[in-house]
Amino acid sequence: DIQMTQSPSSLSASVGDRVTITCRASQTINNYLNWYQQKPGKAPKLLISAASSLQSGVPSRFSGSGSGTDFTLTISSLQPEDFATYYCQQTYSSLNFGPGTKVDIK
Amino acid sequence: QVQLQESGPGLVKPSQTLSLTCTVSGGSISGGRDYWSWIRQPAGKGLEWIGRIYTSGSTNYSPSLKSRVTISVDTSKNQFSLKLSSLTAADTAVYYCARVRCNTTSCYSGFDPWGQGTLVTVSS
């Protein structure tokens, strides 16, 4: 089984901050890595697929990078609506998620 | 566009079997390389993938739940279903259905769209 880890597990940031979340796979997953945003009481929303492909309608301040085992989600300038929990997911083998990173207001 | 809606009982007794259905609207469940998945999320915790099915009936399950899970599809009703047996309180969660696009070995899209989720509580 491929295990996914995320760091940090939580972070506090201010509007306008640049935020970086890291996701690591226990073995190579090429670029089969997706990022989701989830707000309380809502279903997750797909932000980025294939490590770096921004989904239609997702603001360009979100970007993803990485390949192999190490991946990054970056929010270039945090907006009020970006406070949420972010999950990575590998779809190379099985379809499991990372444990999540909660982004809250400093 | 394609929309998904979960349905089923909100309360199930321990040791019983949970049955949920996901209805797909706005498109055919039999389209292309679409696979259909179940995911769950206990309150305050992370997302857990349960399994997926293709319209041929081919399934893949999470190793941790494989012994208790059955996912099936009814193309005539544009629905797919989840059965989870031998329930305990640890199975209390919001259950989501979602679409994912895959080839024979890997899935090249993320889960999109998702249903709104349905809360299932396991309690006597």
Side-chain angles (χ1 to χ4, degrees), chain B residues 3-21:
Chain B
Q3 294 183 312
L4 285 70
Q5 177 69 59
E6 305 90 351
S7 59
L11 180 64
V12 189
K13 291 182 175 10
S15 80
Q16 291 190 341
T17 295
L18 166 67
S19 294
L20 295 176
T21 296

Side-chain angles (χ1 to χ4, degrees), chain A residues 1 32 34 36 38 41-46 49-50 55 87 89 91-99, chain B residues 37 39 41 45-49 52 62-63 96 100 103 105-112 114-116:
Chain A
D1 250 20
Y32 288 92
N34 307 307
Y36 299 85
Q38 187 179 33
K42 299 293 187 182
K45 174 187 176 182
L46 179 64
S49 64
Q55 296 302 290
Y87 294 93
Q89 179 205 26
T91 55
Y92 179 76
S93 170
S94 191
L95 299 172
N96 52 305
F97 296 86
Chain B
S37 269
I39 305 103
Q41 184 173 37
K45 297 189 177 181
L47 300 163
E48 180 179 24
W49 175 68
R52 66 172 185 174
S62 167
Y96 295 100
V100 62
N103 54 33
T105 54
S106 302
C107 294
Y108 51 86
S109 80
F111 288 145
D112 182 61
W114 294 63
Q116 65 184 26

Side-chain angles (χ1 to χ4, degrees), chain A residues 27-64:
Chain A
Q27 62 190 75
T28 183
I29 57 171
N30 294 339
N31 69 336
Y32 288 92
L33 191 284
N34 307 307
W35 290 98
Y36 299 85
Q37 176 194 67
Q38 187 179 33
K39 296 181 179 179
K42 299 293 187 182
K45 174 187 176 182
L46 179 64
L47 298 177
I48 289 169
S49 64
S52 60
S53 180
L54 198 66
Q55 296 302 290
S56 174
V58 175
S60 59
R61 62 181 179 272
F62 290 93
S63 64

Side-chain angles (χ1 to χ4, degrees), chain B residues 7-76:
Chain B
S7 59
L11 180 64
V12 189
K13 291 182 175 10
S15 80
Q16 291 190 341
T17 295
L18 166 67
S19 294
L20 295 176
T21 296
C22 182
T23 300
V24 179
S25 60
S28 173
I29 199 170
S30 300
R33 300 306 300 171
D34 293 342
Y35 283 67
W36 306 93
S37 269
W38 288 97
I39 305 103
R40 70 180 183 178
Q41 184 173 37
K45 297 189 177 181
L47 300 163
E48 180 179 24
W49 175 68
I50 299 171
R52 66 172 185 174
I53 189 166
Y54 188 57
T55 49
S56 65
S58 173
T59 54
N60 297 97
Y61 300 130
S62 167
S64 64
L65 295 169
K66 187 174 184 177
S67 63
R68 300 195 290 132
V69 174
T70 303
I71 298 176
S72 59
V73 64
D74 186 337
T75 55
S76 67

Side-chain angles (χ1 to χ4, degrees), chain A residues 8-21:
Chain A
S9 57
S10 65
L11 66 91
S12 296
S14 301
V15 172
D17 283 354
R18 181 181 181 88
V19 169
T20 298
I21 299 169

